[in-house]
Amino acid sequence: MYTSIVYLLSFWLPPAIKGGFLALLAAPYILHEWNGIRLKVPQNRWQVPHTWVSGPPMRNMAVWGLILGAGLFTYIPHITFHLLYLYLGFFKDPAHGLLFGALYGFSRAIPTAFFGMSGSQWFPGLIPRMRRAGRLVNGFVLILLVVYLVFRVFASG
């Protein structure tokens, strides 16, 4: 859905303009991910209602994973999700957005399924370390995206 909207609004723009805009948008978020500055990240804070996950454990995991995994209705902690969809809408066709959306949802559902099936326990000290690691990795991903976009803009111009 995201990529289709972006595609319809921007298909007529030259690639250099789209790439430059995306690079300028992504650059400050590198500092955000590394706690240098605080910026807004578009998100929806809707939560899965408790009644939706009050059944058998396997059904609960499936419902939870599908809704959280989709990423459209729930909290998304990193800007890379949105920038990926902007990139796909700018430079690919909407079918790529559908494919990447499915892969993103699958990747969000895997940890839930893994910990649910393995009987592993979440330790309170593990969550902050995972958040820090996630922010560090997202900062590196944003650097790679900006470098790629800059080279793409100069190569097309």
Side-chain angles (χ1 to χ4, degrees):
M1 181 176 78
Y2 284 162
T3 55
S4 297
I5 292 168
V6 172
Y7 178 79
L8 289 172
L9 293 174
S10 68
F11 71 90
W12 55 274
L13 288 170
I17 299 227
K18 293 187 279 191
F21 169 75
L22 198 53
L24 288 173
L25 183 63
Y29 279 98
I30 296 166
L31 293 173
H32 170 81
E33 289 294 337
W34 290 346
N35 293 322
I37 59 175
R38 298 292 302 156
L39 298 170
K40 292 276 188 191
V41 176
Q43 22 186 299
N44 186 356
R45 294 191 181 268
W46 178 78
Q47 296 292 313
V48 176
H50 177 69
T51 56
W52 291 17
V53 288
S54 59
M58 289 303 284
R59 190 197 77 182
N60 292 347
M61 281 191 308
V63 168
W64 195 269
L66 288 171
I67 293 171
L68 287 178
L72 298 175
F73 309 112
T74 56
Y75 178 71
I76 301 169
H78 302 290
I79 192 70
T80 49
F81 172 84
H82 302 285
L83 294 177
L84 170 67
Y85 281 103
L86 279 174
Y87 172 80
L88 290 170
F90 282 161
F91 299 109
K92 303 293 181 187
D93 61 73
H96 283 88
L98 182 63
L99 173 64
F100 276 78
L103 289 173
Y104 177 80
F106 183 69
S107 72
R108 292 270 314 254
I110 285 176
T112 303
F114 172 75
F115 285 106
M117 288 182 199
S118 69
S120 297
Q121 298 288 326
W122 280 97
F123 298 104
L126 181 63
I127 294 172
R129 285 185 295 186
M130 288 178 60
R131 281 192 187 131
R132 281 192 301 274
R135 290 184 73 115
L136 181 68
V137 168
N138 273 283
F140 282 121
V141 168
L142 291 174
I143 287 173
L144 292 174
L145 176 65
V146 169
V147 168
Y148 170 75
L149 289 168
V150 167
F151 280 116
R152 183 181 177 110
V153 166
F154 285 117
S156 69

